[in-house]
Amino acid sequence: MAASNATGPIGRVSKQIGRYVNHDDVIVRFVSLWIVVASAFTAAWVLSYLVLPQGLLRGGNPGASTGYAGSITREFLWLFGWNVGVSLIAVAANTLRSVNTPMGYVMQVVQAPWYGAVWGTGSLAIGTGDRIAPSLAVLVERSGPMEITAFVAIVVATRGVMLWQQNTGPRWKEEFVRVRSPSDWSLTRREWALLVGGYLLLAVACYREAVAIAQVAG
């Protein structure tokens, strides 16, 4: 009984979160998933800043391993192309749904702590290698939060591109079953608007990052 009481509140919170991130209203889904992802990012950022060795994750981003592309335009095109490719992987992941959770959602929740830890340990590919101290000012000045927001918008807008579903748990045992075909896919006007807005925001974030990289490495 004690164990049941201990896990009960966690289960209720998890169910409540699931209800909001999978809501029929795309804006409710977007805000809810953004809060979850931003919380995971912030927690990892603060904890890694306080306890992890500096530079621990440097070199861990294959998309940034090539260094500066030589100009703002080329750097922007490289960054934007890379991030669009990653976003398409997340959209493709949405074709898999475990019970009611699209796998593209899971990707964002998993990636956010890693990105936060990169900031906290000063492991960005280009720069001084100093840790980024947690502060609200940094969130406004840097492009990372915009990229995170863009990715959340993209995966939320494409929640409906499901093909295979895992109907029940336990999730590590049950197989995915084909339940739909691409001809069943459809996006509402609000989902299309959020999807386009997500890619526009991603472009702005990549351009800001290209300018910042040029100032450091150019």
Side-chain angles (χ1 to χ4, degrees):
M1 180 67 72
S4 176
N5 290 337
T7 58
I10 296 175
R12 287 194 294 272
V13 170
S14 177
K15 187 175 293 186
Q16 190 72 6
I17 292 173
R19 183 177 298 119
Y20 282 110
V21 299
N22 294 302
H23 199 277
D24 289 339
D25 190 316
V26 68
I27 301 303
V28 174
R29 296 202 305 265
F30 169 70
V31 173
S32 302
L33 185 60
W34 185 89
I35 290 172
V36 172
V37 171
S39 298
F41 169 84
T42 303
W45 181 18
V46 173
L47 288 174
S48 62
Y49 180 82
L50 294 174
V51 303
L52 293 182
Q54 185 169 337
L56 177 66
L57 302 176
R58 181 171 286 275
N61 182 1
S65 61
T66 57
Y68 181 49
S71 73
I72 292 176
T73 300
R74 287 197 294 270
E75 186 67 21
F76 163 72
L77 291 174
W78 163 246
L79 290 171
F80 186 60
W82 171 264
N83 280 284
V84 167
V86 173
S87 76
L88 293 178
I89 293 174
V91 172
N94 274 349
T95 62
L96 298 168
R97 186 178 298 182
S98 179
V99 187
N100 203 33
T101 305
M103 288 299 154
Y105 284 24
V106 177
M107 282 184 61
Q108 305 315 305
V109 176
V110 170
Q111 287 178 340
W114 177 85
Y115 196 14
V118 167
W119 276 29
T121 58
S123 299
L124 295 171
I126 296 178
T128 63
D130 294 334
R131 297 175 186 273
I132 300 176
S135 73
L136 292 176
V138 172
L139 293 176
V140 175
E141 294 167 359
R142 303 190 73 96
S143 61
M146 294 177 64
E147 290 182 12
I148 291 173
T149 301
F151 273 98
V152 170
I154 290 165
V155 298
V156 162
T158 57
R159 182 182 183 275
V161 298
M162 177 182 67
L163 293 178
W164 294 274
Q165 185 168 19
Q166 194 179 48
N167 292 315
T168 61
R171 300 178 192 237
W172 59 90
K173 288 185 179 180
E174 291 299 314
E175 294 184 357
F176 285 90
V177 178
R178 178 72 176 263
V179 295
R180 299 176 67 192
S181 71
S183 62
D184 298 319
W185 293 348
S186 65
L187 272 67
T188 66
R189 288 183 179 180
R190 297 181 78 187
E191 287 171 338
W192 274 115
L194 187 63
L195 181 62
V196 172
Y199 278 110
L200 289 175
L201 184 62
L202 186 61
V204 172
C206 289
Y207 183 78
R208 286 186 63 184
E209 187 172 354
V211 171
I213 290 173
Q215 290 174 346
V216 174

